[in-house]
Amino acid sequence: AQSVTQPDIHITVSEGASLELRCNYSYGATPYLFWYVQSPGQGLQLLLKYFSGDTLVQGIKGFEAEFKRSQSSFNLRKPSVHWSDAAEYFCAVEVAGNKLTFGGGTRVLVKP
Amino acid sequence: DAEITQSPRHKITETGRQVTLACHQTWNHNNMFWYRQDLGHGLRLIHYSYGVHDTNKGEVSDGYSVSRSNTEDLPLTLESAASSQTSVYFCASSSGNEQFFGPGTRLTVL
């Protein structure tokens, strides 16, 4: 069965520093992969998605992610975080029928 | 602007009561989904629908039901609320591969 693992439950980063969030998936076929962000008390907003082609994908708010098939990973990065990036981030894989399987999430705290 | 709304935003109920959470989208999307969010579990799929009169069970469907009588709405019903159903519930709709999420309903079952 498909699964998504986000190994880091919490990450604390200083404002202006770089950020990398890890995501590993288990899925038999070529995956469609997503990163969502959830600000406190809000719904989920799509940051970026990977379907095929270039393995480095750009998203909104300065985020990017790299798909590595050999490592079954889809890590999210941002070169310089802003205080407004404090949120919870979810990695997800689309399985048959447009359904999403989510990882457990990583909460990002930004220190001034 | 098209949007997806959920009501109520907060609900407190008692064990054994029937509760219905509303989800309404104005995108005219065929696909609609209900998830629950619990600490450490991310979002888990409860039920989903690919169109009017179509409903399907997801990963954690026990104790929940949905109905789809029109394109815009997918209400989620807890037949007899249990404390284990205390959670935050999200509705989503999609056309193609991107799902759009509502703001969520925080349900507390006492």
Side-chain angles (χ1 to χ4, degrees), chain B residues 18-91:
Chain B
Q18 184 181 79
V19 177
T20 296
L21 308 182
C23 174
H24 179 80
Q25 53 100 1
T26 58
W27 280 298
N28 204 34
H29 288 163
N30 286 324
N31 302 343
M32 295 185 73
F33 308 83
W34 273 104
Y35 297 88
R36 60 177 289 174
Q37 182 180 23
D38 304 289
L39 197 62
H41 291 280
L43 280 75
R44 292 179 290 176
L45 184 63
I46 305 171
H47 281 285
Y48 56 101
S49 168
Y50 292 138
V52 176
H53 302 310
D54 176 72
T55 61
N56 305 279
K57 294 181 178 180
E59 177 188 357
V60 290
S61 61
D62 287 350
Y64 303 94
S65 64
V66 293
S67 61
R68 188 90 180 269
S69 58
N70 58 55
T71 301
E72 295 80 17
D73 299 289
L74 187 70
L76 178 72
T77 297
L78 287 68
E79 303 293 345
S80 177
S83 57
S84 60
Q85 294 177 308
T86 292
S87 187
V88 181
Y89 292 85
F90 287 98
C91 178

Side-chain angles (χ1 to χ4, degrees), chain A residues 38 46 51 90 94 97-98 103, chain B residues 31 37 50 90 94 96-97 99:
Chain A
Q38 182 182 30
L46 181 67
F51 294 159
F90 294 95
E94 181 179 315
N98 195 214
Chain B
N31 302 343
Q37 182 180 23
Y50 292 138
F90 287 98
S94 74
N97 296 103
Q99 292 192 16

Side-chain angles (χ1 to χ4, degrees), chain A residues 96-107:
Chain A
N98 195 214
K99 301 189 294 291
L100 294 178
T101 294
F102 286 86
T106 299
R107 184 170 298 278

